[in-house]
Amino acid sequence: MKLYSTLYKSDDSLKKFIAERKIQSAKAVFVQIFSGVIDEAYCMDLAAFIKAELPDAKILGATAGGVISEGIMYEHETVISFSLFDTTRLACDFFSFESDNIIERIEKELIFEDTKAMVIVSDGLISDAESFLKELYSRNSDLVVAGGRASDYDFKKTFVFNEKQTSENACIVCSFSSEDLHTNSDYILKWTPVGKDMMVTKANGPILYEIDGESVIEVYRKYLGDAIVKDLPSSCMPFPLIVHRDGVLVARDPIAVVDDGKALKFAGLFEEGDIVRFSFANIEELTDELEETFHELDKIPAEGVYIYSCSARKVLLHEKLMSELNILESLAPSVGFFTFGEYFSSGKIAELLNVTTTFLLLSEHNSVEKKELKKSIDITCDPIRKALTHLVKVTSKELENISTHDTLTKLYNRSEYLRVIKRKVVSAKRYEESFGLILVDIDLFKHVNDSYGHDIGDLVLRKFAKTLLGSIRADDFIARWGGEEFIIITGKIDKNGLTRLLQKLQKRIKAEDFAPLTKLTASFGATLYKDGDSYEELFKRVDNALYQAKKSGRDRFIVV
């Protein structure tokens, strides 16, 4: 495989470029056109010219709010890349999202027994790219997928194109098939969550209406300020929302203000119950870990690198992004563009990413040549900015701990319990799972304080909390409800499992030494989540159960 790229200047210079590199004689040619000129006639004319020069080439084109060639970023330019393959078969086609059975057509036309990877470009503002990727992955999870959503400079118009057509609501897919082809897809994020967990309380696909029961616009105003809200969506690109997806941190940036200024449309999807946080660029990790990243990648076969980097990353990092592009260009010749979302699928993960630099390494040979960085990595940065990044990161962790934990027992506090139980109820409804809730009260604890003093009372509370924490399962949650009361949210469990857990807790408490006390017991109320329960109904039920346990003589549990 060989990869050549050039900035388009004229038909004559492009024709000369093709001839000098004998691209016409290649067995298979894959052409990517990333155009900083957002004009359909210009793009189609260019694609048609290339098709006339290379009749058998597969052509994929997208508008771009910035392009990448040979490790360098360019604005308002058009980059053209030619990937030449010896043993790899290419299949490529244009699919309108307004048509039916797209996945079936892709499988029939583009996917074969030896297909290793697919590159996808789609429009950046209209289509539901995430659902498309998820459906494709659900049926073809062994394929490596990379690519990006088309972009522009002002969130007004994006499209994909080839020599025959353009569309603002479509995708172009190219597959790479060969037993000899080696592929590896990965991404760089290095954005750090900051601030508290917040729950998505109203969403419809990519459109976000409310977070924590408050208008999403007002949430942005509260945490980012009036100036950011005034210029949405472009103003908030450096501060994406982070959401967990199958153990992966996925960033989400808005691409439009909708619903008469009351909601935000994002590049990816949200579900009600999703937990999100704002985030910022971690300058320390971005600058300090790049060389390590290079040495992890230089052991992988690579003859060409396709780069799909988010426009938001370019906005914030500016020249610092050159260091990332440098390590990828040092692996093999590279080309790419700045996107409104990055397609990524590798192994057990398939996500439409934001704010990443996603890349695909391709090689028709298994050998790995020794590679050296073409330029030394610039680890310098504004010391004040770097120090501020470190300060925000450390203090955020400290403040998060203070806001979520009880200072005496070090368990989670009531506020954190309320956040967790609300998420748990939403999750249980979505996945039709059951979980348990246990309310624990130390019997006659007032006598401890009255007889031994509050210092001993505090010591007993800490030891009791430690005993409970050591007795529950890894996926259970425990918090101090208040005073001598504690609350436990179990993982997936049935009534028999809940009873066994309660018996275990009783046994551990009775076996523990709470000196100078000669004896310590506790009462328990417990219940299981039932379909349709609210978190308030759950607590009312478990509180009543605890009351019955105490009324019945204490040192016992009641499950309702």
Side-chain angles (χ1 to χ4, degrees):
M1 174 191 176
K2 293 181 180 179
L3 189 153
Y4 303 110
S5 66
T6 182
L7 297 181
Y8 176 72
K9 298 302 180 184
S10 68
D11 289 353
D12 288 342
S13 62
L14 180 58
K15 187 171 185 177
K16 182 179 179 182
F17 182 91
I18 293 171
E20 288 177 345
R21 288 153 185 81
K22 299 180 180 179
I23 294 174
Q24 300 97 322
S25 62
K27 294 179 180 178
V29 180
F30 174 52
V31 180
Q32 296 182 91
I33 309 172
F34 303 129
S35 176
V37 179
I38 318 298
D39 179 85
E40 287 98 333
Y42 167 90
C43 292
M44 282 191 66
D45 286 348
L46 178 55
F49 175 80
I50 294 173
K51 189 68 173 179
E53 294 294 314
L54 303 168
D56 295 325
K58 306 300 182 183
I59 299 176
L60 170 156
T63 57
V67 299
I68 302 162
S69 179
E70 298 179 341
I72 301 173
M73 300 183 293
Y74 297 93
E75 302 286 355
H76 301 284
E77 296 277 5
T78 297
V79 66
I80 306 167
S81 73
F82 303 88
S83 298
L84 283 54
F85 294 93
D86 292 324
T87 61
T88 299
R89 302 186 322 280
L90 305 173
C92 191
D93 209 343
F94 193 109
F95 302 91
S96 169
F97 284 119
E98 296 175 359
S99 61
D100 298 326
N101 304 318
I102 293 178
I103 302 300
E104 289 81 358
R105 289 174 54 203
I106 290 174
E107 291 174 334
K108 182 178 179 180
E109 299 172 22
L110 306 183
I111 299 178
F112 311 97
E113 288 186 4
D114 58 348
T115 300
K116 298 290 185 65
M118 304 182 80
V119 167
I120 303 172
V121 294
S122 65
D123 68 279
L125 297 174
I126 297 176
S127 63
D128 182 356
E130 184 172 355
S131 295
F132 166 65
L133 174 61
K134 294 285 189 180
E135 185 179 356
L136 178 64
Y137 172 77
S138 70
R139 299 164 56 141
N140 304 275
S141 59
D142 55 334
L143 287 181
V144 170
V145 176
R149 303 191 74 185
S151 61
D152 66 354
Y153 289 96
D154 51 12
F155 295 92
K156 290 183 178 179
K157 183 175 184 176
T158 68
F159 57 87
V160 294
F161 63 92
N162 59 16
E163 72 280 5
K164 295 180 180 179
Q165 56 191 320
T166 72
S167 176
E168 296 180 43
N169 187 20
C171 66
I172 302 177
V173 183
C174 185
S175 68
F176 303 77
S177 304
S178 171
E179 295 296 341
D180 298 328
L181 186 65
H182 299 271
T183 63
N184 186 281
S185 184
D186 209 340
Y187 67 93
I188 302 170
L189 178 58
K190 307 301 183 188
W191 247 247
T192 297
V194 64
K196 70 171 188 174
D197 284 352
M198 301 178 290
M199 180 187 291
V200 173
T201 48
K202 185 178 180 182
N204 183 12
I207 300 177
L208 189 53
Y209 295 94
E210 292 181 1
I211 298 176
D212 280 349
E214 188 174 359
S215 161
V216 65
I217 300 296
E218 293 310 310
V219 170
Y220 271 74
R221 190 188 310 278
K222 177 180 179 180
Y223 290 106
L224 300 180
D226 289 335
I228 293 292
V229 171
K230 180 181 177 182
D231 293 324
L232 286 170
S234 59
S235 57
C236 68
M237 292 176 74
F239 305 102
L241 292 175
I242 293 286
V243 61
H244 284 269
R245 289 276 191 265
D246 299 322
V248 177
L249 287 179
V250 178
R252 288 281 179 260
D253 255 330
I255 57 175
V257 180
V258 297
D259 195 25
D260 296 325
K262 298 176 183 178
L264 293 175
K265 182 178 181 180
F266 287 75
L269 306 181
F270 286 100
E271 294 183 10
E272 292 178 3
D274 278 344
I275 302 304
V276 298
R277 296 173 72 183
F278 283 108
S279 65
F280 68 101
N282 190 325
I283 301 297
E284 285 185 299
E285 291 183 4
L286 281 166
T287 55
D288 296 347
E289 297 181 8
L290 280 176
E291 188 166 351
E292 179 182 342
T293 300
F294 172 73
H295 289 304
E296 290 174 356
L297 296 172
D298 70 358
K299 302 175 179 63
I300 300 171
E303 294 177 297
V305 184
Y306 300 158
I307 302 172
Y308 309 98
S309 185
C310 188
S311 294
R313 203 169 185 85
K314 179 182 62 143
V315 168
L316 183 66
L317 298 182
H318 302 294
E319 293 303 314
K320 282 295 169 187
L321 188 55
M322 291 294 295
S323 294
E324 282 183 9
L325 303 182
N326 171 41
I327 68 170
L328 297 175
E329 176 67 20
S330 299
L331 298 172
S334 64
V335 69
F337 78 106
F338 291 100
T339 76
F340 280 171
E342 302 83 65
Y343 286 99
F344 177 78
S345 173
S346 182
K348 297 181 179 180
I349 302 169
E351 292 294 343
L352 181 70
L353 303 174
N354 279 151
V355 203
T356 70
T357 292
T358 299
F359 51 91
L360 175 64
L361 310 182
L362 296 166
S363 177
E364 290 185 306
H365 297 91
N366 193 32
S367 60
V368 179
E369 298 179 1
K370 183 175 176 58
K371 304 178 179 74
E372 299 289 343
L373 285 167
K374 292 193 173 184
K375 301 176 184 176
S376 60
I377 294 176
D378 179 14
I379 61 173
T380 63
C381 66
D382 181 352
I384 295 177
R385 186 179 181 185
K386 190 170 183 178
L388 182 60
T389 300
H390 183 77
L391 176 64
V392 170
K393 182 180 178 182
V394 172
T395 54
S396 291
K397 286 184 178 180
E398 292 176 343
L399 291 172
E400 180 181 354
N401 189 68
I402 291 170
S403 68
T404 60
H405 286 72
D406 173 58
T407 55
L408 177 64
T409 63
K410 308 305 179 187
L411 297 179
Y412 288 111
N413 59 23
R414 184 187 292 203
S415 294
E416 184 63 12
Y417 158 76
L418 289 171
R419 280 195 289 270
V420 172
I421 192 65
K422 290 175 184 178
R423 299 200 304 255
K424 193 74 174 178
V425 168
V426 170
S427 177
K429 289 178 180 177
R430 183 185 303 168
Y431 299 111
E432 298 181 349
E433 294 179 350
S434 186
F435 66 90
L437 189 65
I438 303 171
L439 188 59
V440 189
D441 181 84
I442 300 176
D443 293 331
L444 303 172
F445 184 73
K446 184 176 183 298
H447 294 172
V448 177
N449 283 331
D450 291 345
S451 301
Y452 298 97
H454 286 280
D455 288 345
I456 295 299
D458 288 349
L459 182 66
V460 169
L461 284 171
R462 285 194 292 268
K463 194 159 191 179
F464 187 83
K466 186 176 180 180
T467 301
L468 292 179
L469 184 61
S471 305
I472 61 176
R473 304 169 303 175
D475 60 343
D476 295 337
F477 171 92
I478 182 170
R480 185 183 181 192
W481 179 252
E484 65 273 20
E485 289 187 324
F486 300 83
I487 196 157
I488 299 167
I489 305 171
T490 76
K492 187 177 181 181
I493 202 168
D494 58 18
K495 188 171 183 179
N496 289 335
L498 189 59
T499 299
R500 288 193 297 270
L501 177 57
L502 289 161
Q503 291 169 339
K504 178 183 177 181
L505 291 170
Q506 277 190 315
K507 184 177 179 181
R508 290 285 180 87
I509 292 167
K510 289 179 179 179
E512 191 61 61
D513 181 7
F514 290 98
L517 279 65
T518 57
K519 181 182 179 182
L520 185 77
T521 63
S523 300
F524 304 80
T527 191
L528 289 171
Y529 168 80
K530 299 175 183 177
D531 187 33
D533 273 342
S534 66
Y535 74 92
E536 296 99 337
E537 290 168 335
L538 267 173
F539 183 79
K540 184 176 181 179
R541 203 159 62 239
V542 81
D543 191 36
N544 288 336
L546 175 61
Y547 174 78
Q548 291 298 325
K550 292 165 70 175
K551 186 178 178 181
S552 301
R554 301 185 178 88
D555 188 20
R556 65 195 63 209
F557 62 82
I558 289 182
V559 180
V560 294

